């Protein structure tokens, strides 16, 4: 191995080793006693084995040389970079997590967003919109939570779904015999991908845009909501399943919070006095964003109350907050 | 920045840049068109901000220079290394996952294992034994699964727990008014740590080794099982909550599978003819290990049947398999 060495006056040193086969290692020794070793090689099986041996040897050697002074040794799993199948989809709170993804099932850019459906060995197919894990076939817990966790009676009710292009909510709803479900999803290409590759989630409800008790409008929900509000059309339930970062054709709302406020206000306008509004909030760790959302709830045209629930959605790898919002009765 | 450059004949090149403040970057250009950039710096806030700016600039510059040829750009969250609080606890199937751990609550070496209880913002305290995530305060799902997912009637029954030092199973069991629960946990220090720091899991059941309907034996379960088998003592339920990698004082069993076989055989001996044996299996992705376990089930002294269930345990970040085993009736 060829070695180059760089020493700082007060910051320790860095040794770089290169091998003929193109692999290389850096060893960074910090004055406070931390030694960081990185080894980079191709993903050829023999190189990976050789890397493991080398790291074992380095570890043995260091333990041998310094054993009484080593308080901790930690080796992290190799990070696969530049692979055709990307396994790293950080959580909403910014943590690095590796998924067991082994196949790109669908990958398209729609006029609105980048749509990926990736196959995970344990979670089934996962829908990823603009890099955000939206829903996996394992995530019935998400759908149940955003429908009120089994505590609602949808029989004979009128329901409005905003977004929901994966079909999960619609599929569960129609089983409960509602009077009518209207779903407003902006992106036909999300529907097309999910119809084909997320069937454990959507069943056959996306095969047709109209069914016995449902209708799918492939439209931006903002003008639709405005129209319903103007017409005085109301619903027993409004379920907001829009993506966390909004996509819309209406240019008037220029910030996420303004868009969110608009949707909330319009949703309350089309919600019956004793109706319920369900939505997903955010990762439980993003307390600031959750507080900002709750502040929005206090600034709507009508006074509302809310409750929240923390739910484990399998493919998220973080706990998620779901909200129920309802109109305050005048005497409450 | 100071630069050194290494070129391979057929493997591209590596540039190393060092900064006066001790930070450094490597840029590895592979002939097939992958460019991997690594930047390493201290965790001083200003250095982290400066690193972000630098990476932004590199990305802009590369997009500018090569924009029509870049098919993908991916930046991973920074990896915190050499920190006093370790946030990386890989899954059973070897994937890299970062936890939101912010505090070491308990860290001791017992005669049997390394015991850590770490605080996670979302999962509460997490018990980690020999580097394996065992149970977090958020993980009632684990306890419910290993008790038969709410389908059993424990009222008036005799139950044996093997391991279970976190107290989760015992705490849930005593609420169901069993006749008697005997728990055999080898490691007093696990009990001591959990009694203090996992109270959402164990409640107050670990405060005393004896209660109205339970008794905790701080012993290796192998001799206890042998004694019960000899005495002819039997149980309605045996719940095996031992760690995946066995710890025992009995030197006779030298491999994991032999130990597992011994525990299974002895457990069947102390199980009533119509009793049930519950245990956790493994990560759903480790199909080979699961198959080997199921093979063990076919090699016991008495014929058994089994069923399995896949459960999402919040802090595991991977789906987990749980087994129910029962004795075959002679005429079945």
């Amino acid at each position: 191995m060829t070695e180059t060495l760089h020493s700082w006056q007060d910051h320790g040193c860095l040794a770089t080793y290169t091998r003929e086969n193109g692999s290389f290692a850096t060893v960074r020794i910090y004055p406070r006693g931390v030694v960081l070793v990185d080894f980079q090689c191709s993903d050829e099986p023999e190189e990976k084995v050789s890397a493991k041996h080398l790291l074992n040897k380095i570890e043995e050697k260091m333990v041998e040389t310094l054993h009484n002074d080593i308080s901790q040794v930690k080796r992290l799993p190799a990070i696969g970079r530049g692979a055709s199948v990307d396994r790293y989809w950080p959580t909403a709170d910014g943590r690095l997590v590796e998924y067991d993804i082994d196949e790109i099932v669908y990958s398209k850019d729609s006029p609105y967003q980048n749509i990926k459906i990736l196959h995970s060995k344990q979670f089934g197919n996962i829908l990823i919109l603009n890099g955000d894990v939206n829903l996996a076939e394992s995530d019935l817990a998400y759908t149940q939570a955003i429908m009120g966790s089994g505590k609602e009676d949808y029989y004979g009710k009128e329901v409005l779904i905003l977004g929901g292009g994966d079909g999960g909510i619609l599929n569960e709803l129609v089983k409960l015999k509602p009077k009518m479900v209207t779903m407003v999803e902006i992106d036909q290409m999300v529907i097309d991908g999910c119809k084909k590759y997320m069937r454990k989630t959507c069943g056959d409800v996306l095969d047709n845009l109209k069914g016995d008790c449902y209708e799918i409008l492939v439209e931006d929900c903002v003008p639709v909501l405005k129209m319903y509000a103007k017409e005085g059309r109301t619903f027993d339930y409004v379920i907001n399943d829009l993506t966390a970062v909004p996509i819309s054709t209406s240019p008037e709302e220029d910030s996420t919070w303004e868009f969110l406020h608009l949707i909330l206000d319009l949703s309350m306008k089309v919600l019956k006095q004793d109706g319920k509004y369900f939505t997903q909030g955010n990762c439980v760790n993003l307390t600031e964003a959750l507080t900002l959302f709750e502040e929005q709830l206090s600034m709507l045209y009508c006074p509302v109350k809310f409750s929240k629930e923390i739910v484990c959605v399998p493919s998220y790898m973080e706990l998620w907050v779901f909200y129920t919002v309802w109109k305050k009765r005048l005497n409450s």
Side-chain angles (χ1 to χ4, degrees), chain A:
Chain A
M1 281 188 135
T2 314
E3 180 185 356
T4 59
L5 191 70
H6 181 93
S7 291
W8 286 268
Q9 198 154 10
D10 304 316
H11 300 292
C13 64
L14 165 71
T16 312
Y17 302 85
T18 54
R19 268 183 159 177
E20 277 183 15
N21 64 4
S23 64
F24 76 98
T26 57
V27 179
R28 177 75 176 88
I29 303 176
Y30 288 88
R32 66 182 171 108
V34 173
V35 178
L36 300 185
V37 179
D38 289 88
F39 188 78
Q40 195 178 110
C41 69
S42 84
D43 64 348
E44 299 292 325
E46 66 271 27
E47 278 207 50
K48 290 196 321 203
V49 170
S50 152
K52 206 173 247 180
H53 284 312
L54 188 76
L55 290 171
N56 289 345
K57 266 196 192 158
I58 293 174
E59 199 172 311
E60 275 168 33
K61 190 80 187 215
M62 289 189 68
V63 168
E64 197 185 301
T65 318
L66 305 163
H67 73 285
N68 283 322
D69 291 331
I70 293 183
S71 60
Q72 207 188 327
V73 180
K74 179 88 174 193
R75 196 187 301 184
L76 295 177
I79 297 177
R81 295 157 77 188
S84 58
V85 181
D86 190 349
R87 292 162 61 95
Y88 303 91
W89 300 97
T91 57
D93 69 345
R95 286 173 294 110
L96 178 62
V97 288
E98 178 183 355
Y99 283 81
D100 58 345
I101 289 168
D102 54 12
E103 196 190 337
I104 301 168
V105 170
Y106 183 86
S107 181
K108 298 227 163 142
D109 283 303
S110 80
Y112 306 106
Q113 57 202 333
N114 174 266
I115 307 164
K116 281 192 176 69
I117 299 177
L118 307 179
H119 180 260
S120 148
K121 217 172 137 185
Q122 63 185 318
F123 300 130
N125 286 336
I126 309 179
L127 174 67
I128 296 179
L129 298 177
N130 279 345
D132 251 15
V133 171
N134 260 248
L135 196 82
E137 288 182 300
S138 59
D139 296 348
L140 183 60
Y142 176 98
T143 305
Q144 288 173 332
I146 205 168
M147 285 173 61
S149 297
K151 284 173 286 187
E152 303 304 319
D153 179 13
Y154 285 98
Y155 181 82
K157 300 288 167 61
E158 298 221 54
V159 187
L160 178 65
I161 305 171
L162 309 177
D166 54 62
I169 299 169
L170 185 58
N171 186 32
E172 295 307 315
L173 268 179
V174 299
K175 297 175 189 170
L176 305 174
K177 311 224 177 291
K179 185 177 171 195
M180 186 64 191
V181 183
T182 308
M183 174 173 135
V184 191
E185 164 62 48
I186 200 170
D187 200 337
Q188 179 70 51
M189 287 171 76
V190 169
I191 294 175
D192 291 343
C194 293
K195 174 163 72 179
K196 199 156 175 194
Y197 300 112
M198 299 279 291
R199 286 194 87 84
K200 266 184 207 151
T201 297
C202 65
D204 59 7
V205 292
L206 298 179
D207 293 352
N208 298 292
L209 293 181
K210 264 192 173 180
D212 280 350
C213 62
Y214 71 89
E215 183 179 19
I216 301 170
L217 309 175
V218 183
E219 287 181 49
D220 182 352
C221 71
V222 174
V224 174
L225 279 167
K226 284 181 176 168
M227 186 185 69
Y228 288 164
K230 205 173 157 189
E231 285 172 356
R233 186 164 168 198
T234 55
F235 297 86
D236 298 291
Y237 293 99
V238 177
I239 303 178
N240 177 351
D241 192 31
L242 299 171
T243 50
V245 178
I247 51 167
S248 168
T249 51
S250 31
E252 66 202 285
E253 314 311 324
D254 55 356
S255 89
T256 301
W257 290 110
E258 275 172 46
F259 181 83
L260 198 126
H261 184 266
L262 175 73
I263 295 286
L264 272 166
D265 233 29
L266 287 169
S267 294
M268 288 306 130
K269 278 180 183 150
V270 304
L271 189 67
K272 290 189 180 161
Q273 183 58 37
D274 59 351
K276 279 186 186 166
Y277 172 89
F278 293 118
T279 191
Q280 51 112 353
N282 215 322
C283 157
V284 73
N285 278 349
L286 292 179
T287 45
E288 211 173 307
L290 292 167
T291 305
L292 283 170
F293 175 75
E294 291 167 22
E295 281 172 15
Q296 290 293 329
L297 292 177
S298 67
M299 299 189 303
L300 303 181
Y301 84 93
C302 67
V304 301
K305 287 188 161 186
F306 70 90
S307 65
K308 51 187 165 177
E309 192 189 3
I310 296 167
V311 175
C312 178
V313 179
S315 82
Y316 282 17
M317 309 223 197
E318 59 192 334
L319 299 179
W320 210 256
V321 179
F322 290 81
Y323 285 93
T324 304
V325 182
W326 63 94
K327 291 179 181 175
K328 231 176 185 166
R329 282 166 201 279
L330 293 175
N331 60 352
S332 76

